[in-house]
Amino acid sequence: MKNIEKERLAQHHNEEKDWLKWGPYLSERQWGTVREDYSAHGDAWNYFPHDHARSRAYRWGEDGIAGISDRYCNVCFNIALWNGKDPILKERLFGLTGPQGNHGEDVKELYYYLENTPTHSYMKHLYKYPQNKFPYNELVDENGKRNRHDLEYEILDTGVFDNDAYFDVFTEYAKADDNDLLIQVTITNRNKTAADIHLLPTLTMRNHWTFKDMSKKPVIKKKIKDNGPYVQIDHPYTGYYNLYFQDADHLLFTENETNRETVYNQKNKHPFKKDLFHKAVISGDYTLATQNDQGTKFAPLYKRKLKGGESISIKLRLSELDLTNAFGAEFDKTLLDRQQECALFYNHIAPKATPEQRKILTQAFAGLLWSKQYYNYEVERWLKGDSKTSVPPKERLTGRNSSWKTLRNHDVLLMPDKWEYPWYAAWDSAFHCASFALIDPDFAKDQLLLFTKEWYMAPNGQIPAYEWNFSDVNPPVQAWAALQIFKTDRKKNGKGDITFLKRMFNKLSLNFTWWVNRLDRHQNNVFQGGFLGLDNIGVFDRSHGVPGGGTLEQVDGTAWMALYCLNMLEMSLEIASEDGSYEDMATKYFGHFVFIAEALNKMDSDKVNTWDNAEGFFYDRLVMEDGRSTTIKVRSIVGMLSIAAVLNLKSSTLNKFPKFKASVLWFKKYRMENLKYVVIQEYSDGEDLLLSLVPKDRMRPLLKSLLDEKEFLSPYGIRSLSKIHETPYQIKIDGVDYSINYEPAESTVSLFGGNSNWRGPVWMPMNYLFIKALQEYYEYSNGNMTVEYPTGTDNQLNLMQVSKELSKRLIKLFDLDEHGNRPINRLYEKYYQNPHFKDLILFYEYFHGENGRGLGASHQTGWTALVANLIEEVS
């Protein structure tokens, strides 16, 4: 069958049609973000809490349930609901702030991303809405009673979904054309008893006019045709659009403006405020909300009583077209066509996948696509405030992100999780792009390139980390991601995009220099780095200095830089195949890699080094200001990351670049003559060249630990901390005791809010790096290198086989076992045995090191979408 979605992608990238103008770009949480925080000292959670969100206009975006918007979030559409019992209208998802949760911030809702295509020609979302009173207070109070050693209290723990007392609310979007969106909301009563439901499909104009000057204020106006009312949008930024809808009980209009009386106890100029629909629905008094026939926020209201098991569907259509019949037979046919085209598109991605694997893959990509979000943050304007409203406290001018005045973000970005992380994180985004390349390489390229733009990257070459602290340091994986995208694109289209690689390479050269100049304090090619994305993995907080004022020579910092060198080297050679001037850059990064490898692997017996020969492991080294040093013997993926820095250069590649090849041979001869550790151990002319941060005699003991079920090998992938630390590791530094212990689930320490744990659980992105590295070693060894898998057995596998076995363990997290359960649902198997739950899959932030239970952010399909890559590779 014809792959229509692929044709749409081609139309978009050839600029024939703007298929990506409309998409799921509406955030799921705008409140509690740094962008909306105008406090003196950066108290984002309390400055703009959930309780204000229904009454207070946002400055930098909008939010809603199952929502869409244009790419600049000017015109927004989402659904709102009321079950007749809740104290508030359900306009947005509810969750706990960081201080409220016993393991940090956490959404307390049930919703699932079911389907989505790269052009958003078809999208399907499911929200499960309780029929009884939503347990807002219970969730806050019970979590407040629990400490970090307790489980989180989730919405399924409250019993509000018992006896199927809930509605399934399916929201579907299908594009008849690039500016013609069909919308269908289907609500099913899953209970046996009749229940009331109110549906408000809501159209909102983002509020620019309160904060800055506009040529004219946008407006939504009621219009009438022979077949009934509709509304027309007149917006100075998007132009004219019509929203058609089926007959409703009421048509509600108000303004998307702050209710100053409710929020600030100040007098309002008029009563038509953002929270008017909430007041009307809860009170049942629609007098004020139906008084006007225009505004900047609109909703047709549908009040229904559904019998047990009954379903209703409400149709709407957002279109630039002037239609006389918006909901004819063509509506249903288009919706069905888009559903079938979506299924066909994903069948092509992994044609040999099993039906269950295809279900996992489709929902993984759906989550990745639904997590696209419009993101607006202009730091200089944010610091100064808006003169039309108020001037922020002066403390802000030297507070959070004040050194990032050149940062101006105004784009659609792949978010890690649109509720818990509705802001980008630089290294998350790189992994997102590696997955996204399988479905739309061009978008993946554009997304990665954004981070190298002048309005993202700082003038000194630093890439912004994440909005809570742009100056923090995320691992430099952008070059790795660029290569993954390049190779995926080449495999799909037969030709690699050298122009893309060149654009990335030129800007990443600046970033590489920033790393070298800022994070190698002793100029010895061993890097510090600090946080490096691994949150609480150390015995102390690595992002806030070292006890005693020393420096921490980090194995992961050094390994990341070694990998960065190899990625840049490989990019240089790919580019040099078309532009010979880049061959010199390959030599530059090769030399830098050699120096880093020598520094990490130095053999001086009279000094404390990162490698412990007796224990066969790399450990961080703490160097005090007086020259004293000690090794911190924590067996974690910090030391194991050294395996990931590897590149196999084929002899055919070397022969293409004789200058580079001559440089390699000179380096080997020169380093040997000067009694230096020789990184290139086995190379002879005419052979492949293996560049590995780990020498062969150190590789085997590391793999032995990596594949040991008593250490790193979990039934579901590689743990982030060795299981031997069930007995805590302890160390005294300057008279202070520090310790770390294996924690396979939620974190019991408060570092980074406690909602992220690198002390034992399985993390998908790190596992993926290990898998790709093992495949690189396999290519070099031609399958001749075998290891015990698992360690301690007689089962010998080559490294490709090991990589596939690790992939299967990771896929198993989401797959049904012999009892019909998925490991990720370990705590809630009773619910997920229900036929209306069993096919629903959540893609968590990380996973329990023993039983695979999903942990952390529940919708972090971002980098956990890498499971789709694994399915594509092993099927």
Side-chain angles (χ1 to χ4, degrees):
M1 291 179 66
K2 203 173 182 183
N3 193 335
I4 303 296
E5 176 62 15
K6 192 172 181 181
E7 292 182 3
R8 272 191 289 268
L9 274 173
Q11 287 179 334
H12 177 79
H13 294 303
N14 293 334
E15 298 184 353
E16 297 169 29
K17 288 196 173 185
D18 191 0
W19 282 107
L20 292 179
K21 179 175 181 179
W22 295 91
Y25 310 142
L26 189 65
S27 177
E28 286 168 352
R29 179 172 64 82
Q30 188 70 14
W31 61 273
T33 60
V34 168
R35 283 155 288 151
E36 300 296 338
D37 175 23
Y38 282 73
S39 66
H41 302 292
D43 188 9
W45 286 115
N46 290 312
Y47 182 79
F48 203 134
H50 176 268
D51 200 43
H52 281 192
R54 64 180 173 273
S55 304
R56 186 169 158 190
Y58 296 124
R59 168 64 179 87
W60 296 97
E62 291 291 338
D63 61 14
I65 299 171
I68 62 169
S69 76
D70 64 285
R71 64 165 54 88
Y72 296 118
C73 197
N74 294 303
V75 177
C76 308
F77 177 90
N78 61 280
I79 62 168
L81 302 157
W82 191 56
N83 58 15
K85 299 173 183 176
D86 284 349
I88 62 175
L89 183 63
K90 177 63 72 173
E91 294 181 281
R92 58 189 50 79
L93 299 171
F94 172 74
L96 303 185
T97 68
Q100 286 176 322
N102 60 327
H103 292 288
E105 67 266 34
D106 188 29
V107 69
K108 300 296 184 185
E109 304 268 15
L110 287 184
Y111 57 105
Y112 304 86
Y113 307 125
L114 301 182
E115 297 183 69
N116 207 323
T117 58
T119 64
H120 313 303
S121 58
Y122 180 67
M123 301 185 281
K124 188 173 185 180
H125 180 286
L126 169 61
Y127 175 67
K128 289 182 177 284
Y129 185 42
Q131 293 172 0
N132 293 313
K133 189 176 179 181
F134 195 93
Y136 292 106
N137 293 334
E138 182 182 345
L139 287 163
V140 173
D141 293 344
E142 180 58 33
N143 278 286
K145 296 173 186 176
R146 297 188 176 199
N147 62 37
R148 295 197 187 280
H149 295 275
D150 297 322
L151 291 171
E152 295 170 335
Y153 188 65
E154 304 289 5
I155 193 168
L156 284 174
D157 297 318
T158 68
V160 75
F161 286 94
D162 288 354
N163 304 313
D164 294 330
Y166 67 91
F167 299 102
D168 268 343
V169 184
F170 294 94
T171 305
E172 295 175 274
Y173 300 91
K175 292 184 179 180
D177 210 337
D178 53 348
N179 288 307
D180 186 7
L181 288 82
L182 315 184
I183 307 167
Q184 180 169 278
V185 183
T186 302
I187 305 176
T188 301
N189 179 1
R190 293 300 183 195
N191 201 359
K192 296 178 181 178
T193 305
D196 293 317
I197 186 68
H198 294 57
L199 170 67
L200 292 84
T202 305
L203 192 62
T204 304
M205 304 295 100
R206 178 182 167 198
N207 187 332
H208 290 287
W209 59 92
T210 295
F211 307 99
K212 64 180 184 179
D213 292 328
M214 297 182 70
S215 58
K216 67 176 181 178
K217 182 179 174 181
V219 65
I220 308 167
K221 288 184 179 180
K222 179 181 175 182
K223 300 282 187 178
I224 299 288
K225 279 192 174 179
D226 293 342
N227 55 344
Y230 67 101
V231 295
Q232 185 177 77
I233 301 162
D234 179 3
H235 199 294
Y237 300 158
T238 61
Y240 289 95
Y241 278 85
N242 301 312
L243 180 69
Y244 303 97
F245 46 87
Q246 293 181 306
D247 290 343
D249 296 279
H250 298 289
L251 303 185
L252 312 182
F253 287 91
T254 191
E255 300 294 335
N256 182 26
E257 297 175 359
T258 297
N259 184 335
R260 302 193 68 83
E261 182 178 336
T262 297
V263 178
Y264 302 117
N265 199 27
Q266 298 173 355
K267 188 175 181 180
N268 288 319
K269 292 181 179 179
H270 60 77
F272 303 98
K273 297 299 181 180
K274 180 177 178 180
D275 56 10
L276 181 57
F277 297 174
H278 156 77
K279 291 181 176 181
V281 171
I282 301 302
S283 68
D285 182 357
Y286 298 97
T287 306
L288 196 60
T290 56
Q291 181 174 314
N292 293 337
D293 60 4
Q294 68 177 47
T296 49
K297 184 176 177 180
F298 164 76
L301 171 65
Y302 301 89
K303 296 189 285 186
R304 301 289 186 268
K305 180 182 282 289
L306 299 188
K307 299 174 184 177
E310 184 183 2
S311 295
I312 59 160
S313 290
I314 303 297
K315 296 176 182 178
L316 305 98
R317 190 163 183 169
L318 179 63
S319 179
E320 64 179 358
L321 302 176
D322 185 12
L323 300 170
T324 54
N325 183 10
F327 308 114
E330 168 252 354
F331 185 102
D332 294 329
K333 182 181 184 303
T334 300
L335 188 62
L336 181 60
D337 286 347
R338 299 298 175 267
Q339 291 169 349
Q340 293 173 342
E341 290 158 10
C342 177
L344 179 66
F345 179 79
Y346 287 111
N347 287 346
H348 277 85
I349 299 298
K352 295 181 181 178
T354 66
E356 188 60 36
Q357 287 176 338
R358 190 164 293 118
K359 193 182 302 175
I360 298 167
L361 178 143
T362 300
Q363 290 187 54
F365 281 124
L368 192 64
L369 286 156
W370 270 102
S371 294
K372 279 186 177 181
Q373 179 192 314
Y374 166 76
Y375 184 84
N376 187 200
Y377 189 16
E378 300 173 31
V379 171
E380 188 168 25
R381 177 173 287 181
W382 174 79
L383 289 169
K384 292 179 179 178
D386 299 288
S387 58
K388 286 189 70 176
T389 52
S390 61
V391 178
K394 63 181 180 181
E395 292 89 343
R396 288 164 48 81
L397 295 176
T398 55
R400 173 177 287 138
N401 295 331
S402 57
S403 64
W404 284 84
K405 294 183 179 65
T406 59
L407 187 137
R408 299 183 305 279
N409 299 162
H410 185 48
D411 301 284
V412 170
L413 292 164
L414 295 168
M415 295 303 169
D417 177 316
K418 283 208 293 188
W419 193 93
E420 189 160 329
Y421 301 103
W423 30 263
Y424 62 81
W427 77 308
D428 295 58
S429 296
F431 287 109
H432 303 171
C433 292
S435 288
F436 211 96
L438 285 174
I439 55 174
D440 185 357
D442 289 300
F443 184 88
K445 293 174 204 172
D446 291 341
Q447 187 79 175
L448 200 60
L449 283 164
L450 269 180
F451 288 87
T452 69
K453 299 292 187 183
E454 294 75 23
W455 47 94
Y456 279 73
M457 181 184 280
N460 63 9
Q462 185 177 11
I463 289 174
Y466 52 94
E467 75 172 27
W468 286 88
N469 184 1
F470 284 129
S471 293
D472 221 332
V473 184
N474 276 181
V477 288
Q478 286 73 27
W480 174 87
L483 282 165
Q484 298 302 308
I485 295 168
F486 175 82
K487 292 172 183 178
T488 299
D489 189 25
R490 181 167 60 189
K491 181 180 176 182
K492 283 182 166 293
N493 300 312
K495 189 177 188 305
D497 187 346
I498 296 295
T499 300
F500 160 69
L501 270 194
K502 189 180 288 189
R503 292 174 69 191
M504 285 298 302
F505 181 90
N506 292 340
K507 288 298 187 66
L508 289 178
S509 293
L510 298 175
N511 178 247
F512 184 90
T513 302
W514 175 84
W515 271 85
V516 172
N517 290 340
R518 297 294 296 273
L519 294 169
D520 180 11
R521 180 173 172 181
H522 299 296
Q523 298 294 302
N524 61 358
N525 294 300
V526 179
F527 294 82
Q528 290 83 53
F531 165 48
L532 283 177
L534 304 187
D535 294 15
N536 58 18
I537 201 166
V539 293
F540 50 79
D541 186 350
R542 304 190 305 176
S543 66
H544 286 91
V546 174
T551 57
L552 187 68
E553 296 189 341
Q554 295 176 210
V555 178
D556 56 336
T558 305
W560 285 125
M561 286 303 291
L563 178 61
Y564 202 168
C565 286
L566 293 179
N567 295 150
M568 295 295 278
L569 189 165
E570 188 175 2
M571 290 172 72
S572 302
L573 294 178
E574 291 285 2
I575 299 168
S577 64
E578 292 189 8
D579 184 344
S581 65
Y582 279 77
E583 188 173 351
D584 290 342
M585 296 304 293
T587 301
K588 177 256 191 296
Y589 285 108
F590 167 74
H592 211 121
F593 171 77
V594 169
F595 298 141
I596 291 174
E598 286 179 355
L600 188 70
N601 289 284
K602 56 192 171 188
M603 306 296 188
D604 312 64
S605 59
D606 60 334
K607 293 182 180 178
V608 177
N609 297 310
T610 55
W611 176 257
D612 187 304
N613 203 50
E615 299 184 15
F617 207 81
F618 285 107
Y619 295 116
D620 284 351
R621 180 185 176 208
L622 179 63
V623 182
M624 307 305 286
E625 288 187 326
D626 61 6
R628 290 178 296 125
S629 65
T630 188
T631 302
I632 299 179
K633 295 194 172 184
V634 176
R635 297 174 75 85
S636 74
I637 52 170
V638 166
M640 200 61 74
L641 189 62
S642 54
I643 293 174
V646 59
L647 173 64
N648 178 39
L649 287 174
K650 297 285 189 184
S651 59
S652 55
T653 300
L654 291 168
N655 290 335
K656 282 186 199 173
F657 305 106
K659 284 198 311 184
F660 173 71
K661 183 177 177 181
S663 297
V664 169
L665 293 170
W666 180 87
F667 255 95
K668 181 178 180 183
K669 178 176 180 292
Y670 176 81
R671 305 313 280 176
M672 289 181 69
E673 288 175 352
N674 286 274
L675 303 178
K676 296 289 186 179
Y677 164 65
V678 182
V679 175
I680 312 164
Q681 294 178 300
E682 300 178 342
Y683 177 65
S684 297
D685 195 6
E687 296 179 346
D688 291 353
L689 169 63
L690 182 71
L691 297 178
S692 171
L693 184 59
V694 182
K696 197 171 185 180
D697 62 335
R698 296 181 176 181
M699 179 74 170
R700 283 199 173 275
L702 284 173
L703 286 179
K704 183 178 179 182
S705 297
L706 185 78
L707 305 178
D708 189 342
E709 292 179 319
K710 296 176 183 177
E711 283 216 61
F712 287 95
L713 183 60
S714 156
Y716 302 99
I718 301 301
R719 302 178 177 106
S720 50
L721 188 71
S722 172
K723 199 174 178 181
I724 68 165
H725 291 306
E726 286 180 317
T727 300
Y729 170 78
Q730 296 178 318
I731 187 172
K732 188 183 288 280
I733 304 172
D734 272 10
V736 180
D737 291 321
Y738 296 90
S739 67
I740 189 171
N741 62 290
Y742 174 69
E743 296 182 334
E746 293 89 352
S747 174
T748 63
V749 298
S750 60
L751 293 184
F752 292 87
N755 61 317
S756 178
N757 183 23
W758 290 85
R759 298 184 170 195
V762 172
W763 291 76
M764 187 68 69
M766 302 303 291
N767 272 260
Y768 193 72
L769 283 177
F770 290 137
I771 285 168
K772 301 309 283 185
L774 291 174
Q775 292 171 359
E776 199 76 13
Y777 286 113
Y778 168 82
E779 289 294 328
Y780 175 74
S781 68
N782 292 315
N784 294 325
M785 182 178 178
T786 63
V787 293
E788 285 185 333
Y789 181 88
T791 297
T793 67
D794 293 328
N795 187 36
Q796 291 284 328
L797 299 182
N798 66 43
L799 297 183
M800 179 61 76
Q801 291 170 324
V802 171
S803 77
K804 290 190 179 298
E805 290 301 315
L806 287 176
S807 298
K808 290 174 185 176
R809 291 193 182 215
L810 292 159
I811 294 168
K812 190 170 67 172
L813 284 161
F814 309 95
D815 213 343
L816 293 172
D817 64 19
E818 65 273 18
H819 304 294
N821 297 315
R822 303 180 199 276
I824 56 169
N825 300 326
R826 187 75 63 181
L827 291 180
Y828 303 108
E829 290 174 350
K830 178 188 78 170
Y831 287 98
Y832 283 92
Q833 288 279 353
N834 184 301
H836 303 302
F837 274 80
K838 70 181 182 67
D839 290 334
L840 304 175
I841 303 171
L842 292 174
F843 297 84
Y844 288 86
E845 187 178 2
Y846 54 103
F847 305 90
H848 195 294
E850 301 304 316
N851 60 37
R853 173 167 65 88
L855 302 166
S858 55
H859 292 74
Q860 194 153 354
T861 321
W863 62 19
T864 301
L866 288 164
V867 69
N869 297 61
L870 298 178
I871 289 171
E872 191 266 348
E873 290 166 15
V874 303
S875 63

